[in-house]
Amino acid sequence: MKYRALNIFIVIIATMIIWSGDVNAQDPLPAQYFNVRHYSNPAYTALFGKDFRISALNRRQWGWLPGGYTTNMVSGETGFFRDRSGLNSMGVGLVILQDKAGKPAYQSFMAQCNIATHLRIDAGVYLSMGIAGKYIQRSMDFTALRWDSQYNGVNHDPGIDSGENPGDMSRSIFDLSWGAAVSGGTGQNETTVGYAFHHLRQNESVMANGTSKLPMLHELSAFNRTKLRKTELMSDLKINRQAGAMMISAMARLGYRFGSDSRYTDFRTSTLIYAGIGYRWADAILFAAGCEYERRFNIGIAYELTTSVVSDQAGSNGAMEIVLSWSGLRTSTRRTLSKT
């Protein structure tokens, strides 16, 4: 049966999520995760009908806090050995991420290298598997911290010696992630379901060299695109589970495509505009809008409206995020007749 492999895969990964045990590590989570899928699951690397894609993301959150929270990401992915359907049989990718939190300038730098393979297992159904190696470096500006011993009776005086010396406030580690995905469908309805687990080598400590292992982060993700003439409905679901904590995030986007695509060649230059709304359980309402110009250049903007207790305590409105991406082909062969 055409979608039998896809259905079996869904059952297996749902069971693994349920059995994954009792989120200690707070990995940066973009609101527009659908624009940088290979960041959270290496199996998605170059899982598209283009040769390459380059993306950049900027996210600013909780600006009312001293220093705020800022995340910057740049990534690239490229595919090789495209099959008759136009999909890549292999993909490699690179993700560079910098996360900065608060006035003490706690910083996390990550360089992630992905490699993935995409195998056709049935008519219109593909199995993808990928692995990611990560180099992570963390640091903190000790001089920006405040201590009770620096209180002069009236206010905080940074000129007073705190007497505190925590030592080296930096650390470097190597981590691994693994992922798998099944994708399938027709030109009018496409579904992808993926499973990944992270922190295969990381321990629990943030700065010190501890010995306790960090529990693995299990992630289930699913995506569906349904086309009806010039209208496209795109829906995403992401479930993360780690050591007893669970995060559920879902988003639906409605798009309209205008311009022309060739029916008999692979020359396609139509433009898609979209807008959507989502919800991260007990945390935030997500709003997103964007434009994919001529199937090459994409700009996406998202805003998170915080609904958790953080908003009640500090009056925070949430986070603003922007994503830019460029995709295309290494050679100008899009005008050739399609082989499908």
Side-chain angles (χ1 to χ4, degrees), residues 171 202-213:
R171 181 171 177 239
Q202 194 172 157
N203 59 43
E204 253 180 337
S205 1
V206 175
M207 291 294 183
N209 292 315
T211 57
S212 299
K213 288 295 183 181

Side-chain angles (χ1 to χ4, degrees), residues 9 38 41-48 77-83 87-93 113-121 125-132 177-183 192-195:
F9 187 74
H38 62 296
N41 187 338
Y44 292 146
T45 304
L47 185 59
F48 46 66
E77 49 186 325
T78 184
F80 303 94
F81 314 119
R82 296 175 69 192
D83 63 14
L87 291 180
N88 297 305
S89 298
M90 179 181 177
V92 295
C113 296
N114 295 2
I115 184 168
T117 181
H118 311 298
L119 307 173
R120 185 184 180 202
I121 58 175
V125 180
Y126 287 79
L127 171 65
S128 302
M129 293 176 287
I131 189 170
S177 297
W178 180 88
V182 169
S183 55
T192 301
V193 180
Y195 167 77

Side-chain angles (χ1 to χ4, degrees), residues 155-262:
N155 51 34
H156 173 259
D157 183 357
I160 300 176
D161 185 8
S162 66
E164 303 288 344
N165 183 17
D168 184 17
M169 297 292 284
S170 64
R171 181 171 177 239
S172 299
I173 59 173
F174 178 73
D175 203 359
L176 287 173
S177 297
W178 180 88
V182 169
S183 55
T186 64
Q188 302 302 312
N189 191 298
E190 301 169 353
T191 300
T192 301
V193 180
Y195 167 77
F197 54 87
H198 308 273
H199 308 311
L200 274 68
R201 295 191 72 258
Q202 194 172 157
N203 59 43
E204 253 180 337
S205 1
V206 175
M207 291 294 183
N209 292 315
T211 57
S212 299
K213 288 295 183 181
L214 183 69
M216 283 192 299
L217 170 62
H218 297 250
E219 178 180 294
L220 168 67
S221 57
F223 167 70
N224 176 266
R225 181 192 295 265
T226 301
K227 302 177 184 178
L228 181 62
R229 295 184 180 179
K230 292 184 175 295
T231 302
E232 298 185 11
L233 176 62
M234 297 156 283
S235 53
D236 283 89
L237 173 68
K238 182 187 286 286
I239 303 175
N240 288 2
R241 183 174 175 84
Q242 183 183 22
M246 181 174 288
M247 186 281 297
I248 303 174
S249 183
M251 175 171 283
R253 294 169 290 145
L254 183 64
Y256 180 80
R257 190 173 292 279
F258 58 92
S260 59
D261 289 329
S262 172

Side-chain angles (χ1 to χ4, degrees), residues 86-163:
L87 291 180
N88 297 305
S89 298
M90 179 181 177
V92 295
L94 176 67
V95 179
I96 303 294
L97 183 144
Q98 184 184 47
D99 198 39
K100 183 178 179 180
K103 192 173 181 180
Y106 169 72
Q107 297 188 58
S108 176
F109 169 84
M110 183 195 73
Q112 172 180 321
C113 296
N114 295 2
I115 184 168
T117 181
H118 311 298
L119 307 173
R120 185 184 180 202
I121 58 175
D122 202 347
V125 180
Y126 287 79
L127 171 65
S128 302
M129 293 176 287
I131 189 170
K134 306 177 183 180
Y135 171 77
I136 303 171
Q137 186 178 60
R138 301 189 182 111
S139 63
M140 181 180 291
D141 181 8
F142 168 73
T143 61
L145 297 174
R146 295 187 176 189
W147 306 89
D148 291 342
S149 56
Q150 294 176 306
Y151 181 69
N152 61 13
V154 179
N155 51 34
H156 173 259
D157 183 357
I160 300 176
D161 185 8
S162 66

